[in-house]
Amino acid sequence: MGFAREVGDKLVFMADGVICEEGDPREVLGNPQKARTQEFLAKVL
């Protein structure tokens, strides 16, 4: 995740084939807006 945060221009988080959240990697990873994204990041970070 650190690599994506540092080098990516845009991050897209998908769950069950649907885009849940997208935007600047620092924003999505640091301040996710959707519950599904928050749940995933809580498990992997």
Side-chain angles (χ1 to χ4, degrees):
M1 295 297 172
F3 180 76
R5 181 180 294 143
E6 296 303 317
V7 302
D9 294 336
K10 183 176 185 179
L11 184 132
V12 177
F13 176 75
M14 296 180 71
D16 300 321
V18 177
I19 296 174
C20 293
E21 197 158 352
E22 63 182 300
D24 181 270
R26 288 160 215 78
E27 185 64 27
V28 174
L29 295 173
N31 188 25
Q33 301 300 305
K34 306 289 184 173
R36 182 64 182 96
T37 311
Q38 293 169 358
E39 291 169 14
F40 172 77
L41 291 174
K43 292 178 182 175
V44 298
L45 293 181

